[in-house]
Amino acid sequence: MHRLIPLTSVAWLVVALAGVDVFAGGFQLNEHGARSMAQAGAFCARASDPSALFFNPAGLSFQRGTTIMAGATFIAPRYIFYGPINLTRNDEWEMKRQVFFPPNIYVTNTWNDGLLKGLGVGIGLVTPYGLGTKWDDEWIGKSITRQVDLQTYYIMPTVSYAVNDALAIGVGANLVLSRVMLSRAVTTFDPSMSLELDGTGKPAFSWNAGILVHPLENLSLGFTYRARTDVDFDGTADFHPPASLASLFPGGDVRTSIAMPATWFAGVAWTPTENLQVEFDVQGIGWSAYDKLTIDFVNDATVNPTVKQSDAVMPKNYKDAFIFRFGAEYAIPLLGITVRGGYFYDLNPVPDEHLEPILPDANRHGLCIGFGMNVLPNVTLDFAYNDLLFQERTTTKTTYPDGVALDGTYRGNAQLVGVDITYRF
Amino acid sequence: MRYASFGLCVLLALCVGCSDEITPSGPNSLGPIDPSVYVAIGNSVTAGYQNGALYEGAQLYSYPKLIADRLGVSFVQPLISEPGTGERITLVSLNPIQLVTSEKSLLPVKSPYDTLSRPYDNLGIPGAVSLDATDETDFRQKSTSRGNPFFTLILRDQKYGKSVVKQALARQPTLVTFWLGNNDVLGFATSGGTSPSAPVPSNAFDISITSALTALRQGAPQAFILVGNIPDINAIPFFTTVGPIISAALSSLAGAPPGSVKLYYQLHGMTTGTDTTNFMRLKNVLIPLTGMTYVPSIGLPTGKWYRDLAEKLKEPLVNVIPSRIDTTKPFGLDPRNPWPDALVLDIQELTSVSSAIQAYNASIEGAINRLNNKPGQPNIALVNIRRLFNEAADRGITIAGETFTTQFISGGLFSFDGIHPSSKGQAIIANEFIRTMNETYGANIAQVDVSKIPGLPVPLAKNARRKLAFWTAASGVFDSIVRLMQP
């Protein structure tokens, strides 16, 4: 009668891509111009250079003429993991050192008289997300992550209008292009097996808008908002399986969708004397949008019972987070330079339960300095240096259900150097 | 000069200030534990038996060896050359899953066998029951009568000590792990409740365990002693794998409403009894892994089980086939050709199993409690293996991103015989012992890095097949396991 008994009930490897959280506080980048960066990113109430396209598009209308600004931020992060505590271990694992250099490019034009007076237009390219972590191939958390690499590009055509000398508004459209690569070990059988995901984000759209007000001669207020974007990633998975497992783990197409959370800046800037500007900003990031991550294999066990790769839903439960920014710049006309400094405090969105080596985030102190100078009458060079100190963070909660069970202490810091060159026509 | 020394002091102070070394789990320490002489008493799991055999490649990952490595002490095991002693089960294909047994091999212990003039530190003896801890029957005689070579291979000669416990005490141990008694119930359970026809009675178990632990305590009053308890069989894939496969097979019968097709199986001790209980309520019935061979026979007019049995027993077929069995009826689907008793644990048998395990664990705890709280002696610690296995069965154990379950093969905790832990499973058991040591004695010993322990050996590429087909287990693949468990 029924000779053959299907194997469907032998449960197989659940290939949960545990811990794939790419987009988190640590991967948000707010360094998109050396001038703002040297002032701890407290810039939305002034937005007085082309990086207004990121910080506050309304600021464009108070600028002059045609400007090109281009530069990059060199980022060298460092993390060390101590543990895992859940194995009573005190081993030290250092993340592999890498240097990233997300670029920023802006072209803007503002009409300062005539029919179009007060109108500003511009286009910019920034990388609001774009970092990576890479650990040793044989490190203790290899089943959680070996490497993550993410790049996003926001292309932002922008228009602004100054209603009068005291009020401007601006709005930008954002075309979001992204790529992601993740890899981790799969060690149940052959230790050489691993999972590598490569994905390209479908072009996504977002928008940003801002308002800039000068209620008093030496005071300005700014508010800017960038909408949440859901990026759908299409990619391929490769398990690098030994031949005997190849048909069970064919890999193939995977899909995931990730919400890039909404973010806003609110700032107040004061010009007490002609040469001094100070600003205080609050930035809010709607990380609670990042409550879970779903990885969807197109060829999974539900459509094809002969494969054993299955979809995974991982809770993340991030919390909304805030960054407090103080910055100042002081022009020294005698020397022809402007010196800058600032401090920010960045509250991380990652709950202890989901603190993972992919993004061992922590509250951070940012110490910022920099200067700008005119090297030619219409060419400005700006430099910035940030020292990011991550507060030491220990989690003992990842062994709870759904956690990756890697308790321990993370220490980190990052050195950032920003360089921009600005040419005014 | 004064300034120089002052400067040096400042420099020192600065350096001290800088060296804020992080030790998130506190500095490693043995606490009061003296690990200098560590002896392990137990059965096949303690020996490092895997995949139906005892061999060096598995012994190197026995939980006692892994513990000894963490403690940094030497630990001499009776290492057996590859492919080992037993009937080694290998996975020849994962797709479809195919398990085969190698020819029975009986290889000697490598050196040191003759040169080591003292007992081994690992006294885990595959097949040992609780009674064997203090039993002083001659080892060769015991190996012969039980058909179990390991008493001779591991205990060698009574000149090193007349029993397992005496050999352990001959080492004057400072640390002892004792995990024995699983086979007192597994012999019954793996044979489908047929051989023996009952678990070791709980009062006999109580006497064995109490006398073994008392002898250890008295013989090594200062030793730190850890005792493992007995896990439930619901957490062992040997018993939980085949039932769902049969369930799926029955529910996939053409045209039959789900749950309407029932397996007819023999009840405990009856030759022709049947039951039409909705079989797949799995808490009521467990099918041991030995049943896998006969799953493809379900619904066929076959007497394969009886033919295999006759061959195994070297008896004529008529002697093993009960008179009321009609093998022309569909196997398992007709009361006249039921699924045999030896391949099923029915509700009555499961009750005997679970009440035996409950009683054994109560005996273990009782014996520990009676021996504890004596002035000047470290307490004996209970290692709750039962809780550990149940956690693995209920929701899996995740360690650094790697999740282990009690699923057969894919769960990663058990080797291909379905009952003995894999190397990673051994590491997780070692970590439970270490955790208990840390908690009970205030030590802070680093656990084993499970990610560095090898996973289950995958078949070579040439054996891989393209098409996913069906589970196959050749006749008798798991027989050696059943035999091993029989006292």
Side-chain angles (χ1 to χ4, degrees):
Chain A
M1 204 159 103
H2 293 270
R3 287 195 61 86
L4 297 175
I5 305 300
L7 179 62
T8 47
S9 54
V10 175
W12 252 89
L13 278 182
V14 178
V15 182
L17 313 175
V20 182
D21 53 328
V22 189
F23 297 88
F27 288 90
Q28 190 190 31
L29 283 174
N30 292 300
E31 290 75 27
H32 304 298
R35 182 176 169 198
S36 51
M37 185 180 151
Q39 300 176 69
F43 203 52
C44 97
R46 288 172 289 163
S48 47
D49 77 9
S51 69
L53 268 54
F54 176 83
F55 287 98
N56 187 350
L60 201 52
S61 281
F62 296 130
Q63 295 176 28
R64 301 194 68 78
T66 303
T67 310
I68 294 177
M69 175 169 140
T73 311
F74 298 84
I75 305 174
R78 216 187 141 189
Y79 285 111
I80 301 176
F81 171 75
Y82 301 87
I85 299 174
N86 50 315
L87 293 182
T88 345
R89 299 186 78 102
N90 294 317
D91 304 344
E92 180 179 318
W93 305 90
E94 184 170 0
M95 192 180 78
K96 288 197 172 181
R97 296 194 196 185
Q98 300 183 93
V99 178
F100 304 89
F101 38 96
N104 57 76
I105 304 165
Y106 307 92
V107 181
T108 63
N109 182 62
T110 305
W111 284 269
N112 303 105
D113 42 37
L115 202 62
L116 297 176
K117 183 174 189 296
L119 183 70
V121 295
I123 187 161
L125 173 87
V126 293
T127 56
Y129 301 91
L131 274 183
T133 49
K134 187 176 183 180
W135 299 82
D136 190 82
D137 277 358
E138 291 308 313
W139 90 292
I140 192 157
K142 64 189 173 190
S143 297
I144 303 167
T145 182
R146 277 184 174 141
Q147 189 176 3
V148 175
D149 193 55
L150 169 79
Q151 298 161 11
T152 65
Y153 296 96
Y154 274 52
I155 297 167
M156 310 179 295
T158 302
V159 49
S160 71
Y161 183 68
V163 180
N164 52 42
D165 285 351
L167 170 67
I169 52 173
V171 61
N174 301 170
L175 170 64
V176 182
L177 304 173
S178 38
R179 280 207 54 189
V180 65
M181 190 282 273
L182 309 157
S183 96
R184 72 169 180 90
V186 176
T187 51
T188 307
F189 293 100
D190 193 309
S192 72
M193 197 161 149
S194 64
L195 173 58
E196 224 164 80
L197 289 172
D198 256 301
T200 306
K202 287 184 191 168
F205 294 91
S206 183
W207 59 272
N208 63 316
I211 182 166
L212 197 61
V213 190
H214 293 286
L216 297 170
E217 177 89 14
N218 57 359
L219 191 70
S220 70
L221 306 171
F223 181 81
T224 182
Y225 176 81
R226 172 167 276 104
R228 165 180 167 171
T229 319
D230 291 333
V231 177
D232 293 324
F233 283 88
D234 275 339
T236 54
D238 187 350
F239 284 95
H240 304 285
S244 53
L245 290 170
S247 55
L248 294 173
F249 300 100
D253 294 342
V254 285
R255 284 190 296 239
T256 185
S257 173
I258 299 162
M260 301 200 183
T263 184
W264 54 261
F265 290 82
V268 52
W270 181 41
T271 310
T273 71
E274 194 187 344
N275 292 336
L276 178 66
Q277 300 177 4
V278 297
E279 178 162 342
F280 167 59
D281 282 16
V282 179
Q283 182 183 2
I285 308 110
W287 282 118
S288 57
Y290 191 51
D291 57 346
K292 64 175 191 294
L293 181 65
T294 305
I295 302 280
D296 175 18
F297 281 93
V298 174
N299 180 13
D300 71 5
T302 59
V303 297
N304 179 1
T306 65
V307 305
K308 296 302 167 192
Q309 52 197 26
S310 44
D311 298 347
V313 180
M314 290 147 279
K316 292 298 164 200
N317 302 323
Y318 278 25
K319 301 164 292 187
D320 290 343
F322 296 92
I323 306 173
F324 302 94
R325 303 173 176 282
F326 303 87
E329 67 176 14
Y330 182 68
I332 309 170
L334 214 61
L335 301 174
I337 68 167
T338 303
V339 294
R340 305 177 176 121
Y343 165 79
F344 65 84
Y345 185 55
D346 184 348
L347 291 160
N348 87 90
V350 187
D352 280 356
E353 289 80 356
H354 299 290
L355 185 65
E356 295 161 12
I358 285 176
L359 179 68
D361 208 5
N363 296 343
R364 307 145 174 216
H365 299 281
L367 305 172
C368 314
I369 53 167
F371 67 94
M373 57 195 281
N374 284 335
V375 289
L376 290 168
N378 51 358
V379 178
T380 309
L381 261 181
D382 291 294
F383 293 94
Y385 168 74
N386 286 8
D387 186 10
L388 249 62
L389 304 166
F390 294 64
Q391 283 178 359
E392 183 181 305
R393 186 163 180 200
T394 299
T395 179
T396 55
K397 293 186 177 171
T398 66
T399 46
Y400 288 24
D402 301 324
V404 298
L406 189 75
D407 283 347
T409 298
Y410 293 93
R411 269 183 177 180
N413 63 49
Q415 314 295 316
L416 293 82
V417 173
V419 184
D420 268 281
I421 182 162
T422 308
Y423 180 84
R424 292 171 214 282
F425 289 89
Chain B
M1 192 61 211
R2 259 182 70 202
Y3 289 112
S5 60
F6 177 74
L8 203 67
C9 283
V10 170
L11 209 68
L12 267 175
L14 280 173
C15 288
V16 169
C18 292
S19 71
D20 43 353
E21 266 306 292
I22 296 186
T23 49
S25 64
N28 282 173
S29 98
L30 292 168
I33 298 170
D34 171 6
S36 47
V37 183
Y38 166 39
V39 176
I41 296 173
N43 50 40
S44 46
V45 183
T46 303
Y49 193 94
Q50 268 189 53
N51 302 317
L54 190 64
Y55 54 96
E56 183 174 5
Q59 289 172 294
L60 293 177
Y61 297 101
S62 71
Y63 75 85
K65 173 63 178 157
L66 295 173
I67 293 171
D69 287 348
R70 293 310 314 156
L71 296 171
V73 293
S74 85
F75 188 76
V76 183
Q77 302 195 96
L79 296 179
I80 297 178
S81 320
E82 307 279 343
T85 287
E87 293 173 40
R88 183 123 158 227
I89 300 169
T90 41
L91 183 72
V92 291
S93 162
L94 267 158
N95 187 18
I97 292 175
Q98 286 183 323
L99 296 164
V100 296
T101 313
S102 64
E103 283 294 300
K104 185 172 186 166
S105 61
L106 205 170
L107 287 168
V109 173
K110 291 166 60 177
S111 174
Y113 188 75
D114 300 320
T115 53
L116 186 77
S117 58
R118 63 159 176 90
Y120 289 113
D121 297 323
N122 190 339
L123 295 171
I125 298 158
V129 293
S130 61
L131 180 67
D132 291 316
T134 52
D135 180 40
E136 299 194 359
T137 309
D138 179 73
F139 305 139
R140 276 180 199 84
Q141 195 188 323
K142 204 148 133 176
S143 273
T144 308
S145 65
R146 298 260 283 269
N148 178 336
F150 296 109
F151 291 100
T152 313
L153 282 177
I154 294 163
L155 299 172
R156 295 177 293 170
D157 197 300
Q158 288 195 315
K159 72 184 178 199
Y160 302 122
K162 281 182 171 310
S163 68
V164 179
V165 164
K166 286 191 171 160
Q167 289 207 355
L169 289 174
R171 294 280 295 127
Q172 297 180 292
T174 57
L175 174 66
V176 179
T177 59
F178 181 103
W179 185 21
L180 193 60
N182 316 48
N183 290 337
D184 293 49
V185 65
L186 286 176
F188 172 79
T190 54
S191 66
T194 57
S195 172
S197 59
V200 169
S202 52
N203 55 348
F205 183 93
D206 192 64
I207 292 167
S208 301
I209 287 295
T210 303
S211 52
L213 293 182
T214 307
L216 277 174
R217 177 75 297 170
Q218 286 169 353
Q222 294 307 314
F224 291 83
I225 302 174
L226 293 108
V227 181
N229 64 5
I230 313 298
D232 294 325
I233 64 166
N234 269 317
I236 301 175
F238 193 90
F239 301 101
T240 56
T241 303
V242 183
I245 293 174
I246 294 179
S247 178
L250 294 180
S251 62
S252 72
L253 287 180
S260 67
V261 179
K262 294 169 173 116
L263 187 81
Y264 285 81
Y265 59 90
Q266 287 180 324
L267 285 172
H268 180 59
M270 298 171 70
T271 48
T272 57
T274 61
D275 195 327
T276 54
T277 311
N278 189 345
F279 164 67
M280 287 313 127
R281 302 241 170 92
L282 267 180
K283 298 292 169 192
N284 298 333
V285 181
L286 291 177
I287 307 286
L289 218 43
T290 43
M292 195 57 231
T293 310
Y294 301 95
V295 172
S297 301
I298 292 173
L300 298 177
T302 179
K304 177 174 164 56
W305 158 254
Y306 300 101
R307 286 199 310 278
D308 289 349
L309 189 63
E311 196 183 322
K312 207 175 346 183
L313 299 176
K314 299 187 171 54
E315 297 253 1
L317 187 58
V318 287
N319 289 8
V320 300
I321 216 163
S323 57
R324 272 178 287 178
I325 296 292
D326 179 355
T327 57
T328 65
K329 302 296 176 207
F331 177 68
L333 299 184
D334 189 289
R336 287 157 291 182
N337 191 10
W339 182 265
D341 186 23
L343 302 180
V344 62
L345 286 166
D346 62 45
I347 184 72
Q348 191 195 336
E349 290 164 332
L350 285 176
T351 309
S352 327
V353 167
S354 59
S355 52
I357 291 172
Q358 216 174 337
Y360 296 173
N361 284 335
S363 289
I364 291 169
E365 282 185 50
I368 291 173
N369 289 339
R370 285 193 299 277
L371 292 165
N372 274 354
N373 300 315
K374 300 283 179 339
Q377 285 182 346
N379 276 347
I380 299 176
L382 176 76
V383 183
N384 201 337
I385 303 289
R386 180 173 176 269
R387 187 201 53 73
L388 179 76
F389 276 40
N390 282 341
E391 188 185 320
D394 292 345
R395 58 183 178 86
I397 297 172
T398 300
I399 301 160
E402 207 178 341
T403 299
F404 298 89
T405 70
T406 57
Q407 288 290 340
F408 188 44
I409 302 181
S410 60
L413 266 182
F414 287 87
S415 68
F416 297 133
D417 61 33
I419 203 159
H420 293 103
S422 62
S423 298
K424 283 180 185 265
Q426 289 275 3
I428 288 168
I429 291 166
N431 284 347
E432 189 65 20
F433 274 87
I434 293 171
R435 213 176 58 77
T436 307
M437 269 185 228
N438 289 344
E439 278 179 11
T440 312
Y441 305 123
N444 202 35
I445 302 158
Q447 296 181 35
V448 181
D449 175 357
V450 181
S451 76
K452 286 222 172 73
I453 305 292
L456 296 173
V458 277
L460 297 172
K462 65 182 163 68
N463 293 315
R465 299 250 193 98
R466 292 231 153 251
K467 195 166 138 282
L468 184 90
F470 306 99
W471 225 99
T472 53
S475 171
V477 165
F478 303 105
D479 283 357
S480 68
I481 301 301
V482 179
R483 273 199 309 280
L484 180 72
M485 304 288 172
Q486 288 167 7

